[in-house]
Protein backbone atom coordinates (compact mmCIF):
# COMPACT_ATOMS: atom_id res chain seq x y z
CA UNK A 1 0.00 0.00 0.00
CA UNK A 2 1.57 3.34 -1.03
CA UNK A 3 2.52 5.84 1.65
CA UNK A 4 0.75 9.16 1.65
CA UNK A 5 1.52 12.59 2.94
CA UNK A 6 -0.10 13.34 6.31
CA UNK A 7 -3.82 13.93 5.98
CA UNK A 8 -4.87 17.57 6.16
CA UNK A 9 -7.48 19.00 8.47
CA UNK A 10 -8.91 20.87 5.48
CA UNK A 11 -11.03 18.75 3.10
CA UNK A 12 -9.74 20.84 0.19
CA UNK A 13 -6.46 18.94 0.42
CA UNK A 14 -6.60 15.20 -0.33
CA UNK A 15 -3.66 12.99 0.60
CA UNK A 16 -1.10 12.88 -2.22
CA UNK A 17 0.56 9.50 -2.89
CA UNK A 18 4.26 9.40 -2.20
CA UNK A 19 6.75 8.51 -4.89
CA UNK A 20 9.73 6.18 -4.49
CA UNK A 21 12.11 8.90 -5.68
CA UNK A 22 10.85 11.38 -3.05
CA UNK A 23 11.48 11.85 0.65
CA UNK A 24 8.61 12.13 3.15
CA UNK A 25 7.37 15.72 3.02
CA UNK A 26 8.79 17.74 5.92
CA UNK A 27 7.57 21.35 6.09
CA UNK A 28 10.34 22.39 8.50
CA UNK A 29 12.99 21.06 6.12
CA UNK A 30 11.22 22.73 3.21
CA UNK A 31 11.51 26.15 4.86
CA UNK A 32 15.16 25.60 5.75
CA UNK A 33 15.84 24.76 2.11
CA UNK A 34 13.75 27.72 0.92
CA UNK A 35 15.84 30.12 2.99
CA UNK A 36 18.98 28.71 1.42
CA UNK A 37 17.54 28.75 -2.11
CA UNK A 38 16.34 32.37 -1.90
CA UNK A 39 19.25 33.83 0.07
CA UNK A 40 20.75 35.62 -2.93
CA UNK A 41 17.53 36.51 -4.75
CA UNK A 42 15.76 39.90 -4.84
CA UNK A 43 13.23 40.19 -2.03
CA UNK A 44 9.48 40.40 -2.46
CA UNK A 45 8.44 44.06 -2.55
CA UNK A 46 6.69 44.27 0.83
CA UNK A 47 9.66 42.73 2.60
CA UNK A 48 12.14 44.88 0.68
CA UNK A 49 10.21 48.00 1.70
CA UNK A 50 10.04 46.80 5.31
CA UNK A 51 13.79 46.31 5.38
CA UNK A 52 14.27 49.81 3.93
CA UNK A 53 12.38 51.34 6.83
CA UNK A 54 8.85 51.37 5.41
CA UNK A 55 7.30 48.71 7.60
CA UNK A 56 4.52 50.63 9.35
CA UNK A 57 1.01 49.22 8.96
CA UNK A 58 -0.05 52.24 6.92
CA UNK A 59 2.92 52.08 4.56
CA UNK A 60 2.50 48.34 4.13
CA UNK A 61 -1.21 48.76 3.43
CA UNK A 62 -0.57 51.40 0.76
CA UNK A 63 2.31 49.44 -0.75
CA UNK A 64 0.26 46.24 -0.89
CA UNK A 65 -2.53 48.10 -2.68
CA UNK A 66 -0.03 49.52 -5.18
CA UNK A 67 1.47 46.06 -5.72
CA UNK A 68 -1.79 44.56 -6.97
CA UNK A 69 -1.14 43.39 -10.56
CA UNK A 70 2.16 45.28 -10.54
CA UNK A 71 5.57 43.64 -10.67
CA UNK A 72 7.78 43.95 -7.61
CA UNK A 73 10.46 45.56 -9.75
CA UNK A 74 8.01 48.42 -10.33
CA UNK A 75 6.24 48.41 -6.97
CA UNK A 76 9.35 49.12 -4.90
CA UNK A 77 10.56 52.28 -6.72
CA UNK A 78 7.00 53.62 -7.01
CA UNK A 79 6.48 53.18 -3.28
CA UNK A 80 9.82 54.73 -2.41
CA UNK A 81 8.92 57.77 -4.54
CA UNK A 82 5.49 58.02 -2.91
CA UNK A 83 6.76 57.63 0.64
CA UNK A 84 9.33 60.35 0.06
CA UNK A 85 6.27 62.60 -0.35
CA UNK A 86 3.93 61.17 2.32
CA UNK A 87 4.25 58.41 4.92
CA UNK A 88 1.26 58.92 7.23
CA UNK A 89 -2.51 58.83 6.65
CA UNK A 90 -2.77 62.55 7.32
CA UNK A 91 0.03 63.47 4.91
CA UNK A 92 -1.25 61.09 2.24
CA UNK A 93 -4.81 62.40 2.50
CA UNK A 94 -3.48 65.91 1.84
CA UNK A 95 -1.82 65.00 -1.47
CA UNK A 96 -3.87 66.33 -4.40
CA UNK A 97 -5.27 63.51 -6.50
CA UNK A 98 -3.54 64.58 -9.76
CA UNK A 99 -0.18 64.64 -7.97
CA UNK A 100 -0.84 61.24 -6.43
CA UNK A 101 -1.62 59.80 -9.86
CA UNK A 102 1.72 61.15 -11.09
CA UNK A 103 3.53 59.62 -8.11
CA UNK A 104 1.99 56.25 -8.96
CA UNK A 105 3.19 56.37 -12.56
CA UNK A 106 4.45 52.94 -13.60
CA UNK A 107 2.08 51.00 -11.38
CA UNK A 108 -1.00 49.45 -12.96
CA UNK A 109 -4.26 51.43 -12.74
CA UNK A 110 -2.76 54.57 -11.15
CA UNK A 111 -6.01 56.57 -11.29
CA UNK A 112 -8.27 54.13 -9.39
CA UNK A 113 -5.42 53.27 -7.00
CA UNK A 114 -4.94 56.96 -6.26
CA UNK A 115 -8.64 57.28 -5.44
CA UNK A 116 -8.51 54.18 -3.22
CA UNK A 117 -5.39 55.42 -1.38
CA UNK A 118 -6.94 58.83 -0.75
CA UNK A 119 -10.19 57.28 0.48
CA UNK A 120 -8.55 54.85 2.89
CA UNK A 121 -6.06 57.48 4.08
CA UNK A 122 -8.88 59.85 4.99
CA UNK A 123 -10.78 57.11 6.77
CA UNK A 124 -7.72 55.98 8.74
CA UNK A 125 -6.82 59.58 9.61
CA UNK A 126 -10.32 60.06 10.99
CA UNK A 127 -10.23 56.76 12.92
CA UNK A 128 -6.75 57.40 14.28
CA UNK A 129 -5.28 53.99 13.43
CA UNK A 130 -5.02 51.35 10.71
CA UNK A 131 -7.50 48.51 11.36
CA UNK A 132 -5.74 45.46 12.77
CA UNK A 133 -8.13 42.71 11.69
CA UNK A 134 -8.87 41.10 8.33
CA UNK A 135 -12.45 42.30 8.55
CA UNK A 136 -11.49 45.86 9.43
CA UNK A 137 -8.89 46.10 6.68
CA UNK A 138 -11.20 44.64 4.02
CA UNK A 139 -13.80 47.25 4.93
CA UNK A 140 -11.42 49.84 3.48
CA UNK A 141 -11.81 50.83 -0.15
CA UNK A 142 -9.74 48.71 -2.54
CA UNK A 143 -8.55 46.22 0.09
CA UNK A 144 -9.02 42.51 -0.53
CA UNK A 145 -7.81 39.39 1.32
CA UNK A 146 -4.26 39.43 -0.08
CA UNK A 147 -3.70 43.13 0.72
CA UNK A 148 -5.20 42.69 4.18
CA UNK A 149 -3.04 39.63 4.91
CA UNK A 150 0.15 41.40 3.82
CA UNK A 151 -0.71 44.37 6.03
CA UNK A 152 -1.37 42.19 9.04
CA UNK A 153 1.66 39.99 8.47
CA UNK A 154 4.35 42.47 7.44
CA UNK A 155 2.93 45.67 8.93
CA UNK A 156 1.61 44.36 12.24
CA UNK A 157 3.72 41.20 12.54
CA UNK A 158 0.61 39.11 13.13
CA UNK A 159 0.24 35.62 11.65
CA UNK A 160 -1.53 35.99 8.30
CA UNK A 161 -1.19 34.08 5.05
CA UNK A 162 -0.95 36.10 1.85
CA UNK A 163 -1.44 33.98 -1.25
CA UNK A 164 -0.44 35.30 -4.66
CA UNK A 165 0.01 33.35 -7.87
CA UNK A 166 3.48 32.12 -6.82
CA UNK A 167 2.34 30.79 -3.45
CA UNK A 168 -0.74 29.20 -5.03
CA UNK A 169 1.23 27.51 -7.81
CA UNK A 170 4.10 26.23 -5.68
CA UNK A 171 2.23 24.72 -2.74
CA UNK A 172 -0.01 22.89 -5.21
CA UNK A 173 3.05 21.74 -7.16
CA UNK A 174 4.57 20.42 -3.92
CA UNK A 175 1.39 18.41 -3.36
CA UNK A 176 1.01 20.16 -0.02
CA UNK A 177 -2.48 21.36 -1.00
CA UNK A 178 -4.76 20.57 -3.91
CA UNK A 179 -6.80 23.68 -4.72
CA UNK A 180 -7.97 25.59 -7.76
CA UNK A 181 -7.82 29.23 -6.67
CA UNK A 182 -5.63 31.42 -4.43
CA UNK A 183 -8.61 31.97 -2.15
CA UNK A 184 -9.05 28.24 -1.58
CA UNK A 185 -5.30 27.86 -1.17
CA UNK A 186 -5.41 30.45 1.63
CA UNK A 187 -8.15 28.46 3.36
CA UNK A 188 -6.26 25.17 3.00
CA UNK A 189 -2.97 26.63 4.23
CA UNK A 190 -4.69 28.19 7.25
CA UNK A 191 -5.75 24.68 8.28
CA UNK A 192 -2.47 22.95 7.46
CA UNK A 193 0.56 25.25 7.59
CA UNK A 194 2.18 25.78 11.02
CA UNK A 195 1.46 29.33 12.11
CA UNK A 196 5.18 30.15 12.48
CA UNK A 197 5.41 30.08 8.67
CA UNK A 198 2.31 32.11 7.84
CA UNK A 199 4.16 35.36 7.16
CA UNK A 200 7.32 33.77 5.81
CA UNK A 201 5.62 31.69 3.12
CA UNK A 202 5.00 34.76 0.98
CA UNK A 203 8.45 36.16 1.72
CA UNK A 204 10.11 32.97 0.45
CA UNK A 205 7.83 31.76 -2.32
CA UNK A 206 7.60 35.00 -4.28
CA UNK A 207 11.33 35.14 -5.14
CA UNK A 208 11.48 31.34 -5.32
CA UNK A 209 8.61 31.31 -7.80
CA UNK A 210 10.12 34.02 -9.96
CA UNK A 211 13.61 32.55 -10.21
CA UNK A 212 13.34 28.79 -9.65
CA UNK A 213 9.86 27.28 -9.42
CA UNK A 214 8.60 29.25 -12.42
CA UNK A 215 5.26 28.78 -14.09
CA UNK A 216 6.80 27.43 -17.30
CA UNK A 217 9.79 25.09 -17.29
CA UNK A 218 10.53 25.15 -13.53
CA UNK A 219 14.21 24.56 -12.79
CA UNK A 220 13.65 21.21 -11.10
CA UNK A 221 17.06 19.83 -12.05
CA UNK A 222 18.90 22.29 -9.80
CA UNK A 223 16.19 22.87 -7.16
CA UNK A 224 17.14 22.19 -3.55
CA UNK A 225 13.56 21.08 -2.83
CA UNK A 226 13.40 18.42 -5.56
CA UNK A 227 13.20 15.43 -3.20
CA UNK A 228 10.45 17.10 -1.17
CA UNK A 229 8.36 18.32 -4.11
CA UNK A 230 5.87 15.92 -5.74
CA UNK A 231 6.07 17.99 -8.96
CA UNK A 232 2.31 17.88 -9.39
CA UNK A 233 1.40 18.99 -12.91
CA UNK A 234 5.02 19.46 -14.02
CA UNK A 235 5.41 18.05 -17.51
CA UNK A 236 8.48 19.90 -18.79
CA UNK A 237 10.96 20.45 -15.96
CA UNK A 238 14.06 22.45 -16.69
Amino acid sequence: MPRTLPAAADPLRPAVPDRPDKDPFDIDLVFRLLREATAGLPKAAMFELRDRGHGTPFEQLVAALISARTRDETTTPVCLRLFARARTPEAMAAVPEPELVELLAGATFPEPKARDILALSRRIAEAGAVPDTMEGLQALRGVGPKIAALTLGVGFGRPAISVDIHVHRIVNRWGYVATTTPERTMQALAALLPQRYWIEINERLVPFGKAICTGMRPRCGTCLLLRQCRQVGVTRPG
Side-chain angles (χ1 to χ4, degrees), residues 42-203:
K43 297 176 183 177
M46 300 303 102
F47 299 91
E48 174 71 18
L49 289 164
R50 176 200 64 188
D51 293 346
R52 290 193 181 203
H54 298 287
T56 66
F58 178 71
E59 289 173 303
Q60 285 291 312
L61 172 61
V62 171
L65 193 154
I66 292 169
S67 76
R69 299 189 182 182
T70 301
R71 295 172 62 87
D72 282 354
E73 296 82 355
T74 300
T75 296
T76 299
V78 168
C79 289
L80 290 173
R81 182 171 66 229
L82 175 62
F83 295 148
R85 174 67 171 83
R87 299 184 61 175
T88 66
E90 295 77 12
M92 194 71 72
V95 178
E97 185 174 327
E99 181 183 354
L100 186 53
V101 171
E102 290 182 7
L103 288 166
L104 296 179
T108 56
F109 313 115
E111 292 85 2
K113 285 181 179 179
R115 291 192 292 271
D116 290 346
I117 290 170
L118 286 173
L120 66 83
S121 296
R122 290 165 184 154
R123 185 165 172 182
I124 293 168
E126 290 173 1
V130 177
D132 61 357
T133 65
M134 287 289 289
E135 296 76 16
L137 286 164
Q138 290 184 84
L140 297 172
R141 177 168 166 168
V143 178
K146 177 188 169 186
I147 295 171
L150 280 170
T151 304
L152 283 179
V154 190
F156 285 99
R158 297 185 180 179
I161 302 171
S162 178
V163 176
D164 69 353
I165 190 62
H166 299 292
V167 175
H168 172 63
R169 177 181 70 250
I170 294 167
V171 296
N172 276 276
R173 187 173 280 170
W174 287 347
Y176 193 57
V177 303
T179 59
T180 55
T181 66
E183 292 74 22
R184 291 176 71 82
T185 294
M186 182 183 290
Q187 296 170 24
L189 287 175
L192 181 66
L193 184 68
Q195 198 172 86
R196 61 185 174 274
Y197 298 129
W198 281 20
I199 299 172
E200 189 179 2
I201 193 167
N202 186 275
E203 180 179 9

Side-chain angles (χ1 to χ4, degrees), residues 1-21:
M1 185 173 181
R3 293 179 299 152
T4 61
L5 294 175
D10 194 307
L12 295 174
R13 176 185 173 259
V16 177
D18 245 343
R19 290 170 35 174
D21 60 330

Side-chain angles (χ1 to χ4, degrees), residues 201-214:
I201 193 167
N202 186 275
E203 180 179 9
R204 303 300 171 192
L205 291 192
V206 170
F208 185 71
K210 289 180 178 180
I212 300 168
C213 196
T214 53

